[in-house]
């Protein structure tokens, strides 16, 4: 499996949870963010998906965090990104995190 395929697979898994399990949906969006973080289009897309999630959940704090992070997606053009960051407000925008084991091989 390629990194790009895994990115889209995480998005599809998130969509499958829409309306059923918002927490699981967000976890898949966070995983998509980790996979797409180094690539501007995918990085931006993942933040837009999380903004839409926040809107549907009426999670205004997450929505604000996404509005602030969307311009930060430009960091992927400069290689200025914290590795493994899930892209949600639960972790600071510049805080690196451990990459889940199952995603590590895809990011090498």
């Amino acid at each position: 499996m390629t990194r790009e395929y895994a990115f889209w697979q995480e998005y599809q898994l998130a969509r499958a949870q829409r309306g059923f399990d918002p927490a699981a949906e967000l976890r898949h969006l966070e995983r998509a963010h980790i996979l797409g973080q180094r690539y501007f289009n995918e990085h931006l897309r993942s933040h837009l998906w999380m903004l839409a999630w926040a809107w549907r959940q009426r999670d205004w704090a997450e929505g604000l965090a996404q509005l602030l992070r969307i311009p930060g997606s430009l960091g992927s053009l400069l290689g200025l990104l914290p590795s493994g960051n899930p892209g949600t407000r639960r972790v600071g925008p510049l805080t690196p995190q451990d990459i889940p084991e199952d995603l590590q091989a895809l990011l090498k």
Side-chain angles (χ1 to χ4, degrees):
M1 175 183 327
T2 67
R3 182 211 51 85
E4 185 177 17
Y5 180 82
F7 172 83
W8 287 105
Q9 185 178 39
E10 289 296 337
Y11 173 64
Q12 292 302 322
L13 291 168
R15 285 200 52 164
Q17 294 301 318
R18 190 176 295 170
F20 297 105
D21 188 345
E25 180 184 359
L26 186 59
R27 279 191 305 275
H28 287 294
L29 293 176
E30 287 178 332
R31 289 171 56 85
H33 177 270
I34 292 167
L35 290 165
Q37 189 175 26
R38 288 189 273 172
Y39 306 90
F40 175 71
N41 287 335
E42 292 174 12
H43 192 189
L44 176 61
R45 188 170 280 140
S46 68
H47 283 296
L48 293 173
W49 291 336
M50 288 187 267
L51 177 61
W53 178 90
W55 180 264
R56 286 191 305 276
Q57 301 309 310
R58 305 297 188 251
D59 185 337
W60 309 126
E62 185 63 47
L64 178 59
Q66 293 308 316
L67 288 173
L68 295 172
R69 286 174 184 243
I70 286 170
S73 297
L74 291 170
S76 55
L77 296 174
L78 305 171
L80 302 173
L81 303 165
S83 175
N85 187 289
T88 55
R89 70 182 168 102
R90 71 179 178 85
V91 175
L94 301 176
T95 306
Q97 298 286 290
D98 291 334
I99 297 171
E101 281 188 39
D102 63 320
L103 301 184
Q104 287 177 9
L106 295 168
L107 294 172
K108 291 188 182 206

